[in-house]
Structure formats: structure tokens, C-alpha cells
Amino acid sequence: MRIAGLMGSAALAVLVGFSTPAVAADAPTVAAGEAYVVDSAGTIHLGKRQTRRVPVASLVKVMTAYVVLREAGLGDTITITGADVKYAAKGGATTAGLREGERLTVRDLLYGLLLPSGADAANALARRYGPGKAAFVAKMNRTARALGLADTRYTNADGLPAPANGGWSTAADQVKLAQRALANGTFRSLVGTRTHKVAKTSVHRAHTWHNSNKLLSRSPDVLGVKTGYTKAAGYCLLFAGERNGRQVVGVLLGDSSAERRFTTAERLLDYAGEQIAFG
């Protein structure tokens, strides 16, 4: 019919009383250098240089928490040393505002590690559960190998830039690690918390830690996971959410914009949800 040629199939469908089938949206534009998005059924929704080895900044702390949760009791108490505080200050890292002599539980230190991304908390946890930082990093690398993270190497527990032969990972490895970590209910609760308060006691000050992951307050059914930034790594975001009955986990590495990583992650979660819905 000539009307189809002039008006197009969608217009013709309206005229004759039919509706056109819905069409899934195209994948969002990703400015980050590397990206990877997978759901719990194993469907890959986006891949961009996902096997390229790059620094991942504070996403390293996901492995730190994973190792600690395997070895520590949440009620264990750790005394903060001057070295823990000075290490973070010297490296110009984000901190949990810890002070020498404070005694905090592992549970609270994990909040300090994962919400404000405290390098002081990372130092204290690694020092205790190595024991010693070098032994702890060795445990991180052994765990990476056991989990099949073949393109991941750790040199510290916090992701601060290291000298020659510094650490690296890939987008694919980071997603695989997050999937394993999120299977732990305690980890999932930690990274999904927006604010954690520690009341003042005789052995520590009061602390209030806010999650640096803005996605938690901007998109529904978000599970976490972790932000990161160094000059070498750029702005990074490991994220996860529930979409149409599946867990979707993704990562953005090497973005040049702090804000854009959250906007992109939100779009990627919604895009994955649409793909799942369309089958």
C-alpha cells in the first residue's frame, strides 16, 4: 500500500488500530576507559576493554573487606596506631578520621573502610590480619588467584598509587570479585549503607561516615558497591542493583568526571533491566 511508504509502518499501525512492538533502547554511551556489566544469569550487557589491566584505585578495598570478612570476627577490637593515621595522611588519601589510641570493632572499621573509603582503616585491618601489611597483601593476591582473577595484582590494601610494579586489575575481574563479595550478607549490608554512626565511648570518639556512592540515593534497588579515584586510575565506580529479578553488577574505570560515573551507572542499570525484560 502506498500509505505505508509515505507514512511509515508506525503511523500505519496507528491508523489501522494496531500497536507497534516495543523496542529495547540502545546501550548508553560510556565515556569511561573500561566498563563491564553482567547480570546474575551470566548475560553480558556491556563490555568495553574489560580485559585491559589498569589501576583501580580504592576499588582495591573490596578485596580488603573480602579477606577480612573471611578471617576476622566482627566483634574483634583493633587499636588504631599512629602509623595507621600517618600512612593515610602522608599518602593524601581519604580517611575515616581515626585517631591514635582509639579502639574500634572490625565491624565499625569495615564501615570506615567502605563508606568514606578510609585508608587509615585499611591500614589497621591489614596490619592486624596479615599479620602485617605485606602478609595481608599476599593473602589478597592468593585470594585473587583462588577466585580466578587472573588479571589482578595487589600491592597494598587501599589502592593508593604504588611505585614501579604497582597493582592492577580489569573491569571483568572487578565484576567477578563484586559478585562473590555480594554473596556475603555482611558485605552486602555494609556497602548498601548510606550513613553509619559510631557513638562515643571511653575507648573511641564518635564517628559519622557517609557513603561516597551517590548511586544509593539516586536509583532504586541499588546494592552498592564502591567508589575510587586516583590520578592514575581516574574516577572509578563498582556498582550493583536488582533489575527485573536479576542482580546486575557493573564497573566503570578511568572516567574523567566524578559525577558522570554515577549518571552512567544509573543508565547502565536501567539498560540492563530493559534487556532482561525483553529477553
Side-chain angles (χ1 to χ4, degrees), residues 7-279:
M7 302 184 65
S9 59
L12 176 62
V14 172
L15 281 177
V16 298
F18 296 105
S19 60
T20 56
V23 178
D26 293 334
T29 300
V30 175
E34 297 78 31
Y36 195 53
V37 181
V38 179
D39 69 35
S40 51
T43 301
I44 299 171
H45 295 281
L46 183 131
K48 179 181 180 181
R49 291 193 285 269
Q50 66 265 28
T51 60
R52 184 184 179 200
R53 292 179 174 181
V54 292
V56 296
S58 285
L59 303 194
V60 163
K61 296 185 178 93
V62 172
M63 178 60 87
T64 300
Y66 186 81
V67 171
V68 169
L69 285 169
R70 288 160 59 93
E71 301 210 354
L74 293 175
D76 291 356
T77 301
I78 297 177
T79 300
I80 304 304
T81 67
D84 298 328
V85 177
K86 292 176 183 176
Y87 171 80
K90 181 180 179 181
T94 52
T95 78
L98 305 179
R99 295 291 182 268
E100 181 178 0
E102 286 191 279
R103 287 165 48 198
L104 293 116
T105 64
V106 165
R107 182 188 294 274
D108 284 334
L109 285 174
L110 285 170
Y111 277 113
L113 174 79
L114 294 168
L115 272 62
S117 200
D120 44 3
N123 202 75
L125 290 164
R127 175 175 52 78
R128 170 70 174 271
Y129 292 104
K133 292 191 290 182
F136 188 84
V137 171
K139 287 182 179 179
M140 294 171 72
N141 284 313
R142 285 198 298 272
T143 303
R145 291 194 294 272
L147 294 177
L149 310 183
D151 293 303
T152 296
R153 178 179 182 270
Y154 297 105
T155 56
N156 56 40
D158 48 71
L160 283 171
N165 300 317
W168 62 74
S169 188
T170 66
D173 275 5
Q174 286 299 295
V175 166
K176 185 183 295 186
L177 172 60
Q179 288 174 320
R180 292 297 295 268
L182 287 165
N184 181 298
T186 299
F187 178 86
R188 194 164 59 248
S189 176
L190 288 164
V191 298
T193 300
R194 296 188 192 181
T195 302
H196 180 70
K197 295 184 177 182
V198 181
K200 181 180 179 181
T201 71
S202 60
V203 296
H204 60 70
R205 304 184 311 137
H207 294 279
T208 300
W209 295 315
H210 301 286
N211 201 320
S212 59
N213 185 359
K214 295 180 181 180
L215 200 59
L216 285 166
S217 60
R218 291 173 39 172
S219 188
D221 300 319
V222 171
L223 304 176
V225 177
K226 187 75 187 69
T227 62
Y229 171 78
T230 64
K231 186 176 181 179
Y235 292 99
C236 304
L237 179 64
L238 186 57
F239 58 93
E242 298 288 347
R243 291 293 185 273
N244 287 318
R246 296 185 194 174
Q247 183 185 91
V248 178
V249 181
V251 68
L252 299 167
L253 303 174
D255 205 327
S256 60
S257 168
E259 178 62 23
R260 183 171 55 206
R261 57 184 163 166
F262 300 114
T263 303
T264 303
E266 185 175 7
R267 290 171 179 166
L268 286 169
L269 283 173
D270 291 342
Y271 169 71
E274 291 171 1
Q275 298 301 305
I276 293 167
F278 281 99

